[in-house]
């Protein structure tokens, strides 16, 4: 019960923060003639996290689950599939965010700098590729997700939904493909992080000769993305250890599953808060709103 209440609180905070971040970037993209590529990717990441937290909340909440007016079997398949796709899109989008920042800060001699001029077009193509990849690679969830029943060959994941036991060869194949896909994205994140660390070190050495103590927007954005990527990799490693433990045992222990749900959604909650707190545009807006609220009573 404690985990369940904590999860509802976590999901509520996460959806509010991501919704705020999403609306801010939608407004920004609408206002400017040429939106920054980083704004487009951040907007996409926030929208993915909203759907991910919402579907997980619908699965967990018995009342909300019953409100959906279609058969339980279809509810389970749809919610599990969408939740799994959005979780993998969270990995893809974070990877794309880090690569976008690397291209943005790359100096002219660097090979990736040639992508700067048409970076927005490349991002749209990247979105299409990661969506196609994740929609197809998680299609097995539609087949193996079923409504809860008294059958013995089921892994009981939620009160109303279960997973059918897979053949060991099929399970190994899907796990290998999923792991390979995630290793590629995490590997690209780590490579981009190494480049950003080198950039920050170089920037720090150059700034030692300057008298100004102001942090440049590029450095601030790079630090933010680096923090997000580092935090994501840590949370992903913890989540995969817990998942592997459950899969190897062929059993979803309720306590382990509660911990996995909580850990699996921490990044979706923390990432918008980090992005909001590090964006000077948002901070300025919030400060003006606070000043208006303070002045209003008088």
């Amino acid at each position: 019960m404690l985990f369940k209440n904590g999860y509802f609180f976590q999901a509520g905070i996460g959806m509010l923060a991501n919704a705020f971040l999403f609306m801010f970037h939608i407004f920004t993209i609408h206002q400017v003639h040429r939106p920054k590529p980083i704004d487009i990717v951040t907007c996409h990441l926030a929208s993915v996290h909203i759907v991910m937290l919402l579907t997980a909340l619908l699965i967990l909440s018995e009342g909300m689950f019953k409100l959906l007016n279609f058969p339980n079997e279809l509810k389970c398949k749809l919610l599990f599939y969408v939740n799994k796709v959005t979780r993998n899109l969270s990995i893809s989008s974070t990877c794309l965010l880090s690569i976008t920042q690397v291209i943005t800060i790359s100096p002219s001699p660097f090979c990736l700098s040639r992508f700067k001029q048409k970076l927005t077009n490349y991002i749209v193509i990247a979105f299409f590729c990661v969506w196609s990849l994740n929609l197809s690679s998680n299609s097995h969830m539609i087949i193996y997700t079923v409504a809860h029943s008294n059958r013995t060959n089921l892994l009981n994941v939620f009160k109303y939904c279960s997973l059918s036991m897979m053949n060991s060869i099929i399970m190994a194949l899907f796990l290998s493909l999923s792991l390979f896909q995630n290793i590629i994205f995490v590997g690209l994140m780590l490579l981009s992080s190494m480049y950003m660390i080198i950039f920050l070190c170089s920037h720090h050495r150059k700034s030692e000769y300057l008298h100004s103590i102001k942090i440049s927007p590029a450095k601030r954005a790079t630090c933010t993305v680096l923090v997000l990527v580092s935090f994501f990799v840590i949370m992903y490693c913890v989540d995969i250890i817990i998942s592997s433990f459950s899969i190897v045992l062929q059993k979803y222990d309720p306590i382990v599953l509660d911990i996995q749900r909580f850990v699996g959604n921490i990044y979706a909650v923390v990432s918008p808060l980090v992005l909001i707190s590090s964006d000077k545009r948002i901070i300025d807006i919030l400060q003006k709103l606070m000043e208006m609220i303070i002045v209003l009573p008088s």
Side-chain angles (χ1 to χ4, degrees):
M1 189 64 182
L2 180 63
F3 267 112
K4 191 173 181 179
N5 291 336
Y7 179 78
F8 285 142
F9 177 77
Q10 180 196 51
I13 294 294
M15 284 192 290
L16 285 173
N18 280 294
F20 177 81
L21 188 67
F22 176 76
M23 292 304 297
F24 172 80
H25 283 286
I26 284 290
F27 180 78
T28 302
I29 292 168
H30 177 72
Q31 287 291 104
V32 298
H33 179 63
R34 292 186 64 184
K36 295 180 181 178
I38 205 80
D39 287 334
I40 298 171
V41 181
T42 302
C43 185
H44 181 261
L45 182 64
S47 63
V48 165
H49 284 160
I50 292 169
V51 177
M52 186 183 90
L53 291 169
L54 181 60
T55 52
L57 199 61
L58 286 169
I59 295 169
L60 189 63
S61 175
E62 297 174 15
M64 295 174 74
F65 186 88
K66 289 178 180 178
L67 283 175
L68 299 175
N69 294 319
F70 41 89
N72 283 355
E73 187 85 9
L74 187 57
K75 292 178 193 177
C76 291
K77 289 182 182 295
L78 179 63
L79 292 175
F80 266 56
Y81 177 63
V82 173
N83 186 255
K84 183 66 175 174
V85 168
T86 50
R87 284 186 182 280
N88 285 345
L89 280 171
S90 178
I91 301 175
S92 309
S93 299
T94 304
C95 177
L96 189 58
L97 185 70
S98 63
I99 293 171
T100 302
Q101 185 59 29
V102 165
I103 294 172
T104 302
I105 63 176
S106 296
S108 297
F110 193 62
C111 60
L112 289 177
S113 63
R114 66 175 182 268
F115 295 109
K116 282 185 183 181
Q117 296 299 322
K118 296 184 178 180
L119 186 53
T120 302
N121 295 335
Y122 291 127
I123 286 172
V124 172
I125 295 170
F127 282 159
F128 176 78
C129 291
V130 296
W131 270 93
S132 300
L133 175 65
N134 287 305
L135 287 172
S136 57
S137 63
N138 293 292
S139 57
H140 66 281
M141 294 299 294
I142 298 174
I143 300 170
Y144 289 99
T145 303
V146 296
H148 181 68
S149 69
N150 294 324
R151 287 161 55 189
T152 56
N153 62 335
L154 297 177
L155 295 173
N156 297 326
V157 183
F158 293 97
K159 183 175 180 180
Y160 295 101
C161 302
S162 304
L163 293 175
S164 298
M165 295 287 284
M166 299 182 196
N167 179 280
S168 58
I169 298 174
I170 295 174
M171 184 176 72
L173 178 62
F174 281 126
L175 286 175
S176 300
L177 288 172
S178 178
L179 189 61
F180 178 71
Q181 176 183 322
N182 292 342
I183 285 173
I184 289 175
F185 286 122
V186 173
L188 288 171
M189 286 185 217
L190 293 175
L191 287 173
S192 61
S193 297
M194 288 173 61
Y195 178 85
M196 285 187 278
I197 291 169
I198 294 169
F199 168 80
L200 290 173
C201 291
S202 174
H203 191 278
H204 178 71
R205 285 197 297 269
K206 290 176 181 177
S207 64
E208 286 178 350
Y209 298 100
L210 302 175
H211 297 290
S212 175
I213 60 171
K214 292 182 69 176
I215 301 175
S216 68
K219 186 177 180 181
R220 184 186 295 110
T222 305
C223 289
T224 302
V225 174
L226 192 58
V227 168
L228 284 180
V229 170
S230 303
F231 184 74
F232 176 85
V233 171
I234 293 169
M235 288 296 101
Y236 175 75
C237 291
V238 174
D239 184 48
I240 202 169
I241 290 169
I242 298 171
S243 300
S244 301
F245 178 75
S246 298
I247 291 167
V248 168
L249 292 179
Q250 291 283 295
K251 182 182 179 182
Y252 281 82
D253 184 86
I255 295 175
V256 174
L257 193 58
D258 284 337
I259 295 171
Q260 185 184 355
R261 287 191 202 114
F262 196 82
V263 170
N265 290 317
I266 287 177
Y267 176 72
V269 177
V270 172
S271 62
L273 298 176
V274 171
L275 288 166
I276 289 169
S277 63
S278 62
D279 195 321
K280 194 174 184 300
R281 298 169 298 176
I282 298 178
I283 297 299
D284 289 342
I285 291 171
L286 292 175
Q287 285 178 344
K288 289 176 181 178
L289 286 173
M290 288 299 295
E291 290 171 2
M292 289 174 63
I293 292 169
I294 294 170
V295 172
L296 195 61
S298 60

